[in-house]
Amino acid sequence: MVPSISVIEQYDSNVFFTPKSLLAPGTKVDDFITVVTPQLNFMQSNSLVKTNLSVGAVVQKFVNNSALDNVGFNASTGIDLSQAVNRILPRMRGARIFGTYMYTPSAPAFGAFGGGGFGAGGVGIAGPIDSGLLTQRIRTTMFNAGFANSYSLSPTTDFQTTYTYSQISFGGSFTPSTTVSGQAQNTVFDTTTHSISAGPTSRISAIDTLTVKYTFVQMSQAQFGDYATHGGTLGWGRAWTKELSSSLNGGLTLVEPIPDLSTTGGQRRIPATMFPTGGFSVTYASGSSFLRKLGSEIQEATGTSGAGSVGGGGFLPLLAGMNMPGGIAAPGSYRVTLMYNLGVFPSFVQSAGPIYTHTILLGGTAGITDRLSAQALFNYARSSYTSEAIGTTFSTYGTTVSLNYLITPMLTARLSHQWLKFDNQTSGVSAADFGFAKQVVLLGFTYAYSPRGDFFRSGAFWEGPSGASSSAESGVSKSGSGGVDTKK
């Protein structure tokens, strides 16, 4: 068990996630916020079961808007039952259960990585809340749970199955808004999703894999109704070199008939439609002589020294705001990832129903010294409704630049700048447009009581003497499925 606590001081240029024109006169839009995050990390491992669990709270105190003071909660767990199930079913290569819970006044737009609570950027699509959509500041509860397993059909082929239940719901708004020039507040919709995917993955050569997958997603939204999608994808992955790997997938997604809310009573349904879906990712991870030289010069100037390691990471779905293990990479190491995804997701902002979403991620991390690491992320998403009757588009841009410094084996400091821009436009109705931009600058400190002193070392916490490491994904689905995945 590793208890941890972080204290962050941050400046936020728009705490309401709302255009200034929609706020009541005299509202103080920017603010200074103190964020305290106590957290417990549990890790258990034996010959049959490996379990990771994280439970924490997020306490926010505002200087100018004390009415926004709040306490949020998050929890995440991953249970690896592969060895236990393998004893009963020798062909079962993987069996995992995962789940997350988050209660927050503002949902993230792009995932958990970066820890800033918005626009942080994750590796892969984790569901509707990571497709770039944003709400105004409103009480948001998010929950998901599921399982993933892999069954060996032959020495080179596994049949993989993943199921995920996801729910997002909203409570009272924190935004003191008004109506100006006919503009209306951002409307939100509670959304429940069931997603199941299945298909074989074959190793066709020493460096190539081929995946065929079917995905079914059942969605239910308040004030809209139920609808479903069916998707088929073909994927190819290759490890080009020890440092370079890539994946490519493509297919089609069928959106079943959905309610047509433009008609009286909403009884008419829009006919089924078909959309191409897919995506790709490219990752390069290596060491840099330039970074090692730069790190050596910094160490000579400051007199610091230490040791680090690079590893894979543990089986624990991550959430924005968590005190996450890792963050300090080995000196000279770096990783660059480019990802693109095209999929169908449920919209929970302004109008319910399926949206067609393009998502791009470009991110990199680098170990400058054995104590100093840097991270940079860029995210972009653009969405439009699958129904031509709704002429609304959403565009979201986000960037994160951060430095992490290991003060002692149990204490780190973090300096970060984040920028976010959200734009919602409705064709022919300028009064319905909704857009804003915001910036966050933060300085934070995190203390983790880990007797091994490896909580902040990239990979080391999961790959320590306990043997509890596990680097597989918590959700087997790849980008482009149009479903709800959970990916570490």
Side-chain angles (χ1 to χ4, degrees):
M1 183 179 74
V2 177
S4 65
I5 186 169
S6 67
V7 179
I8 296 173
E9 296 296 331
Q10 70 180 44
Y11 169 78
D12 191 325
S13 65
N14 187 335
V15 296
F16 297 109
F17 293 79
T18 304
K20 294 181 180 180
S21 61
L22 292 181
L23 296 173
T27 300
K28 187 70 172 176
V29 178
D30 61 336
D31 213 331
F32 291 90
I33 311 168
T34 299
V35 184
V36 180
T37 306
Q39 182 174 300
L40 290 175
N41 286 81
F42 301 89
M43 183 171 63
Q44 179 274 338
S45 176
N46 56 43
S47 60
L48 297 179
V49 180
K50 298 181 177 69
T51 303
N52 291 313
L53 172 65
S54 174
V55 180
V58 180
V59 183
Q60 294 185 331
K61 180 69 175 179
F62 292 73
V63 173
N64 299 321
N65 296 276
S66 58
L68 299 183
D69 294 351
N70 67 88
V71 179
F73 301 95
N74 58 53
S76 178
T77 186
I79 304 173
D80 189 343
L81 302 171
S82 301
Q83 296 301 320
V85 175
N86 183 257
R87 292 198 176 188
I88 303 173
L89 300 172
R91 284 181 173 268
M92 188 67 74
R93 293 190 176 181
R96 296 185 167 185
I97 301 172
F98 54 87
T100 63
Y101 170 84
M102 175 182 284
Y103 172 76
T104 175
S106 56
F110 290 113
F113 288 75
F118 76 87
V123 179
I125 295 295
I129 65 166
D130 295 278
S131 58
L133 293 184
L134 278 170
T135 70
Q136 296 170 306
R137 181 172 286 271
I138 187 172
R139 293 183 179 91
T140 306
T141 301
M142 294 169 284
F143 169 78
N144 77 71
F147 65 83
N149 58 56
S150 179
Y151 186 83
S152 176
L153 299 178
S154 72
T156 59
T157 302
D158 292 346
F159 191 88
Q160 298 179 335
T161 305
T162 302
Y163 167 78
T164 304
Y165 169 83
S166 176
Q167 179 179 307
I168 179 171
S169 57
F170 303 94
S173 174
F174 286 100
T175 304
S177 58
T178 184
T179 300
V180 178
S181 302
Q183 292 176 313
Q185 275 190 270
N186 225 191
T187 306
V188 293
F189 299 87
D190 294 351
T191 301
T192 300
T193 304
H194 298 268
S195 173
I196 185 167
S197 63
T201 296
S202 298
R203 189 172 66 252
I204 57 178
S205 75
I207 60 174
D208 295 285
T209 58
L210 187 67
T211 300
V212 179
K213 183 173 63 178
Y214 165 76
T215 301
F216 171 77
V217 184
Q218 176 71 42
M219 289 160 274
S220 177
Q221 296 191 278
Q223 305 173 42
F224 185 79
D226 299 342
Y227 56 99
T229 64
H230 304 263
T233 58
L234 177 65
W236 168 56
R238 162 168 279 207
W240 298 90
T241 66
K242 186 178 180 180
E243 297 84 11
L244 179 64
S245 61
S246 67
S247 65
L248 176 68
N249 67 81
L252 294 171
T253 293
L254 172 70
V255 180
E256 291 185 358
I258 62 175
D260 184 357
L261 300 184
S262 64
T263 61
T264 304
Q267 298 301 315
R268 181 176 176 270
R269 299 185 76 87
I270 298 174
T273 51
M274 186 85 73
F275 296 90
T277 55
F280 69 85
S281 68
V282 179
T283 298
Y284 189 86
S286 186
S288 166
S289 59
F290 170 76
L291 284 176
R292 283 193 292 269
K293 180 180 178 181
L294 176 62
S296 298
E297 293 174 351
I298 294 176
Q299 288 179 184
E300 290 176 2
T302 59
T304 58
S305 62
S309 63
V310 175
F315 173 56
L316 181 67
L318 299 180
L319 295 171
M322 288 177 60
N323 297 333
M324 293 178 284
I328 304 297
S333 66
Y334 66 91
R335 175 183 293 268
V336 179
T337 299
L338 172 64
M339 298 187 71
Y340 169 74
N341 180 81
L342 176 62
V344 178
F345 300 93
S347 168
F348 54 85
V349 178
Q350 186 168 338
S351 297
I355 54 174
Y356 196 42
T357 302
H358 303 257
T359 307
I360 297 174
L361 161 72
L362 175 61
T365 60
I368 301 174
T369 74
D370 59 347
R371 293 179 180 270
L372 180 65
S373 294
Q375 181 185 46
L377 293 161
F378 168 77
N379 297 94
Y380 170 74
R382 182 173 178 83
S383 301
S384 59
Y385 286 88
T386 60
S387 170
E388 296 182 356
I390 306 177
T392 300
T393 60
F394 305 95
S395 298
T396 312
Y397 309 80
T399 62
T400 300
V401 179
S402 64
L403 292 173
N404 293 282
Y405 183 75
L406 187 67
I407 301 173
T408 73
M410 298 186 186
L411 179 66
T412 63
R414 181 168 185 261
L415 178 64
S416 174
H417 175 272
Q418 298 174 329
W419 172 78
L420 178 72
K421 180 176 174 61
F422 180 68
D423 188 25
N424 171 353
Q425 294 186 346
T426 301
S427 177
V429 188
S430 60
D433 293 349
F434 179 96
F436 65 89
K438 63 179 292 176
Q439 298 186 64
V440 172
V441 179
L442 65 85
L443 174 63
F445 297 87
T446 302
Y447 177 84
Y449 180 72
S450 174
R452 298 204 316 251
D454 59 1
F455 185 82
F456 298 110
R457 294 291 184 186
S458 179
F461 178 70
W462 303 114
E463 299 179 355
S466 65
S469 78
S470 180
S471 59
E473 298 171 355
S474 56
V476 184
S477 299
K478 301 297 182 183
S479 60
S481 66
V484 179
D485 307 344
T486 300
K487 192 170 182 180
K488 77 171 186 65

